[in-house]
Amino acid sequence: AARLDVVLREIAIGYANPAFSIGMVAAKFGLSPRYIQDLLQSTGSGFSERVRELRLQHSMSRLARPGGGGRKVSDIAFASGFSDLSHFYRCFRRRFGMTPSRGRMV
């Protein structure tokens, strides 16, 4: 349980880094990537799904924020940790059922 908490905290800290990876977390704590995947799977979602969800939640909160309408969608996507804009749009639409531009109106 303690290792899981440490891994989850590290994900919450590092998700916005586009280069963030399970290998980085594993190296930091001296664990294997497979062990981290197994730890996370016991919670119902793996490393990639968890990081993607945090990135999407961050981007949605920035889009919906009053005054956030002045920032470009691409700037928000990149600040949230996405490095590929088309991937961001696909993930956003799949998760929220709307385009990021519509997310501004929520």
Side-chain angles (χ1 to χ4, degrees), residues 34-74:
R34 180 66 191 168
Y35 179 76
I36 292 174
Q37 273 298 12
D38 289 344
L39 266 179
L40 293 173
Q41 285 300 333
S42 70
T43 67
S45 64
F47 182 84
S48 298
E49 295 87 7
R50 202 170 280 279
V51 170
R52 183 174 42 251
E53 181 63 22
L54 287 171
R55 289 174 176 173
L56 288 168
Q57 290 296 334
H58 182 255
S59 62
M60 176 57 107
S61 70
R62 302 230 12 219
L63 286 166
R65 181 183 302 164
R71 294 205 54 200
K72 294 190 311 186
V73 170
S74 60

Side-chain angles (χ1 to χ4, degrees), residues 20-38:
F20 189 64
S21 70
I22 194 168
M24 291 171 70
V25 177
K28 182 172 184 174
F29 297 112
L31 304 170
S32 74
R34 180 66 191 168
Y35 179 76
I36 292 174
Q37 273 298 12
D38 289 344

